[in-house]
């Protein structure tokens, strides 16, 4: 009887732990994008578990004077992402739901996860 109560308590504790929000406030998963590196090669970029409600400027394309914007985003996080054409979440913006993908025509330099 005591073993059953212990197992039940452990299972309840584990279930409670799973139900708690992520303490870091992260959009769990990967956000992928493509950009051209310094040699003109198409290169894959990725943000893993990006912070929620914090503007993330994509480091490889932050400077509009020296780099082309990123493109072809893929949102494999559990959160909606709003992508901006400028750094620091400035400029035109577009949203992409969890699991969504966009074409090479969508250009971005920064993102904000909800």
């Amino acid at each position: 009887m005591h073993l059953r109560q212990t197992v039940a308590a452990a299972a309840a504790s584990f279930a409670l732990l799973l139900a708690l929000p992520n303490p870091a406030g992260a959009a769990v998963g990967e956000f992928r994008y493509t950009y051209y590196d310094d040699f003109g090669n198409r290169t894959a970029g990725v943000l893993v578990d990006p912070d929620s409600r914090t503007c993330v400027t994509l480091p490889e394309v932050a400077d509009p004077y020296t780099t082309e914007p990123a493109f072809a985003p893929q949102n494999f996080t559990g959160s909606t992402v709003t992508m901006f054409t400028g750094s620091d979440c400035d400029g035109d913006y577009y949203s992409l739901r969890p699991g969504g993908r966009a074409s090479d025509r969508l250009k971005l330099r920064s993102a904000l996860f909800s």
Side-chain angles (χ1 to χ4, degrees):
M1 179 82 155
H2 182 63
L3 179 61
R4 251 187 272 157
Q5 290 174 337
T6 302
V7 170
S13 296
F14 183 70
L16 179 61
L17 181 64
L18 290 177
L20 292 174
N22 186 341
V28 178
E30 292 185 351
F31 177 74
R32 299 177 189 168
Y33 53 93
T34 305
Y35 65 96
Y36 289 107
D37 67 15
D38 293 338
F39 303 104
N41 300 315
R42 285 175 66 113
T43 304
V46 65
L47 300 174
V48 178
D49 299 338
D51 289 338
S52 294
R53 297 175 296 282
T54 301
C55 181
V56 179
T57 297
L58 306 179
E60 302 91 350
V61 298
D63 187 354
Y65 299 107
T66 61
T67 61
E68 293 294 319
F71 53 93
Q74 300 174 346
N75 185 13
F76 298 119
T77 73
S79 300
T80 296
V81 59
T82 303
M83 302 157 294
F84 296 83
T85 56
S87 299
D88 301 319
C89 295
D90 191 28
D92 293 335
Y93 58 92
Y94 311 91
S95 292
L96 201 58
R97 71 187 188 298
R101 300 170 186 235
S103 74
D104 288 3
R105 295 185 328 199
L106 195 143
K107 309 297 185 197
L108 67 146
R109 291 187 188 276
S110 57
L112 181 67
F113 296 84
S114 58

